[in-house]
């Protein structure tokens, strides 16, 4: 039995039904000529969401991605150092000393998965620093994802690949030059490393790395050029935080701050969230609240699945891909 058929046979109510509704709404939005942005919070790349997200990119089921700096780099960490990762299935039982022991072995834990510092972070640093310095010396400036596109398209990292390249969503994005927006990139491992190299003088101009404000400007330009009444842009949000909060604000910014009243609202909205809908949590805000901020409209299709994104997102993507 196909995955899609199984889900439709068994996912009938509550959050299960919302999975089906959001997936069918996603398909309908694309079939009607719409575009889709996916936003990645949390540690989706370390969770190896790239296995199915790469296929979504290959099949043109996503036209833009907004993600944290961590998700941007962690897909490449996994690409070049997968064999050195360690899984800790009993992570809930770890003592503080157990955690210290992992640190002493240069293993940085993300829930049940440890990223190897030397094989992942330092290996990538040696390569990316060359590209940062080359741009710096030439007086050029690029966004974080553009530096990665240069590196991936150069083939310089191929000698280190430890997974099937087709399972890297960043590789697929680089092939298509997919628009990516990375707000708050400085809150990432390579963001910290870049800062260190600026402080030490290895990089002379801090603005060799383009900023979050410039990302918003780029997003505003892309949205204005891409969104039309006949082809609106949908918003599929995985988790919360800045990965979702930053890009969804582009619409009210265009309307209220730039007075571009002809720009359409987001044409579809779905969020997978485990955040409680209460206590002023933006990530837990129900979609209707976004109407009051000028982000969604009364008639915008809206879906919320309150669950674990590592479980739910691959299922929704499976339906979109007709698995």
């Amino acid at each position: 039995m196909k995955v899609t058929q199984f889900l439709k046979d068994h996912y009938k109510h509550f959050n299960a039904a919302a999975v089906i509704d959001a997936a069918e709404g996603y398909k309908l939005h694309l079939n009607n000529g719409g575009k889709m942005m996916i936003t990645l919070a949390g540690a989706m790349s370390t969770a190896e969401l790239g296995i199915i997200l790469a296929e979504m990119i290959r099949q043109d089921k996503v036209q833009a991605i907004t993600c944290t700096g961590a998700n941007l780099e962690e897909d490449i960490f996994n690409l070049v150092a997968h064999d050195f990762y360690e899984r800790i299935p009993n992570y809930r039982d770890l003592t503080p000393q157990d955690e210290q022991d992992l640190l002493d072995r240069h293993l940085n834990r993300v829930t049940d998965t440890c990223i190897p510092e030397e094989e992942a972070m330092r290996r990538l640093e040696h390569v990316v620093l060359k590209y940062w310095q080359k741009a710096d010396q030439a007086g050029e400036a690029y966004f974080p994802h553009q530096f990665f596109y240069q590196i991936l398209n150069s083939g310089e990292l191929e000698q280190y690949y430890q997974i099937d390249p087709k399972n890297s969503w960043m590789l697929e994005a680089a092939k298509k030059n997919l628009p990516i927006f990375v707000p708050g990139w400085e809150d990432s491992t390579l963001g910290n490393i870049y800062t260190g190299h600026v402080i030490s003088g290895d990089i002379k101009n801090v603005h060799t790395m383009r900023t979050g404000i410039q990302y918003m400007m780029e997003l505003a330009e892309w949205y204005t050029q891409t969104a039309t009444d006949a082809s609106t842009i949908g918003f599929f949000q995985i988790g919360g935080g800045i990965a979702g909060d930053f890009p969804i604000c582009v619409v009210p910014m265009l309307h209220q701050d730039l007075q571009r009243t002809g720009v359409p609202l987001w044409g579809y909205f779905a969020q997978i969230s485990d955040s409680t809908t209460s206590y002023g949590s933006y990530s837990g805000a129900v979609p209707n609240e976004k109407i009051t901020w000028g982000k969604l409209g009364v008639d915008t299709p809206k879906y919320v699945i309150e669950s674990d994104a590592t479980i739910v997102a691959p299922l929704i993507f499976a339906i979109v891909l007709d698995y």
Side-chain angles (χ1 to χ4, degrees):
M1 179 183 293
K2 292 177 60 175
V3 174
T4 296
Q5 190 58 54
F6 175 87
L7 293 173
K8 289 184 176 181
D9 287 348
H10 295 276
Y11 278 37
K12 300 291 189 182
H13 299 281
F14 319 136
N15 273 304
V19 169
I20 304 299
D21 293 343
E24 291 299 324
Y26 193 128
K27 291 174 63 177
L28 181 63
H29 180 76
L30 294 183
N31 290 340
N32 287 340
K35 306 292 192 299
M36 190 65 72
M37 171 183 281
I38 292 176
T39 75
L40 301 177
M44 293 299 104
S45 290
T46 295
E48 298 191 71
L49 188 66
I51 295 171
I52 195 164
L53 180 56
E55 187 63 26
M56 290 282 285
I57 295 171
R58 271 191 294 273
Q59 294 198 27
D60 295 319
K61 304 299 185 184
V62 50
Q63 282 69 47
I65 289 175
T66 298
C67 68
T68 58
N71 275 300
L72 191 77
E73 67 193 15
E74 286 174 12
D75 181 76
I76 303 177
F77 291 165
N78 182 61
L79 175 65
V80 302
H82 181 80
D83 294 349
F84 296 94
Y85 277 56
E86 286 194 25
R87 185 163 178 264
I88 313 292
N90 63 328
Y91 67 92
R92 292 182 180 86
D93 302 327
L94 296 177
T95 67
Q97 186 57 52
D98 292 332
E99 304 280 18
Q100 181 63 47
D101 292 344
L102 290 173
L103 173 62
D104 292 343
R105 295 173 55 209
H106 304 285
L107 292 171
N108 303 132
R109 185 169 69 83
V110 180
T111 312
D112 72 344
T113 303
C114 290
I115 302 175
E117 178 184 337
E118 192 62 36
E119 292 80 9
M121 301 167 189
R122 299 306 168 191
R123 175 177 290 172
L124 193 56
E125 178 186 4
H126 296 323
V127 175
V128 76
L129 179 58
K130 292 190 301 184
Y131 285 79
W132 292 342
Q133 291 182 314
K134 179 182 177 182
D136 188 54
Q137 292 161 8
E140 299 171 349
Y142 299 99
F143 287 117
H145 78 279
Q146 291 175 324
F147 278 111
F148 276 139
Y149 281 3
Q150 292 171 21
I151 293 167
L152 291 170
N153 287 328
S154 76
E156 190 165 345
L157 290 176
E158 289 181 7
Q159 60 183 312
Y160 301 120
Y161 288 179
Q162 295 185 350
I163 64 170
D164 189 330
K166 72 180 180 60
N167 291 334
S168 165
W169 73 264
M170 275 293 293
L171 263 177
E172 291 302 322
K175 291 176 185 176
K176 289 181 175 286
N177 197 28
L178 193 78
I180 296 182
F181 308 96
V182 190
W185 173 78
E186 58 272 18
D187 179 24
S188 66
T189 298
L190 285 174
N192 295 163
I193 289 171
Y194 180 83
T195 303
H197 284 296
V198 173
I199 292 172
S200 67
D202 299 326
I203 296 168
K204 306 303 181 186
N205 183 359
V206 66
H207 296 297
T208 294
M209 189 68 68
R210 300 184 71 187
T211 69
I213 296 299
Q214 291 170 299
Y215 258 133
M216 180 57 83
M217 294 167 64
E218 192 86 355
L219 174 57
E221 183 66 21
W222 175 80
Y223 193 97
T224 301
Q225 291 181 352
T226 306
T228 66
D229 290 331
S231 180
T232 60
I233 302 173
F235 197 95
F236 188 87
Q237 181 174 340
I238 299 176
I242 195 171
D245 302 349
F246 175 88
I248 204 167
C249 291
V250 72
V251 171
M253 188 270 283
L254 289 167
H255 288 170
Q256 298 167 22
D257 301 320
L258 290 172
Q259 300 295 305
R260 296 182 186 177
T261 55
V263 178
L265 297 171
W266 295 98
Y268 161 101
F269 177 83
Q271 180 179 9
I272 307 169
S273 175
D274 60 3
S275 181
T276 303
T277 308
S278 187
Y279 311 124
S281 163
Y282 186 91
S283 299
V286 295
N288 280 356
E289 187 174 305
K290 293 174 174 58
I291 295 173
T292 73
W293 290 87
K295 300 166 184 174
L296 305 178
V298 173
D299 299 323
T300 306
K302 309 172 191 69
Y303 310 92
V304 175
I305 305 105
E306 294 178 327
S307 188
D308 182 337
T310 63
I311 297 171
V312 171
L315 296 178
I316 291 177
F317 293 166
I319 295 174
V320 173
L321 293 166
D322 196 29
Y323 281 3

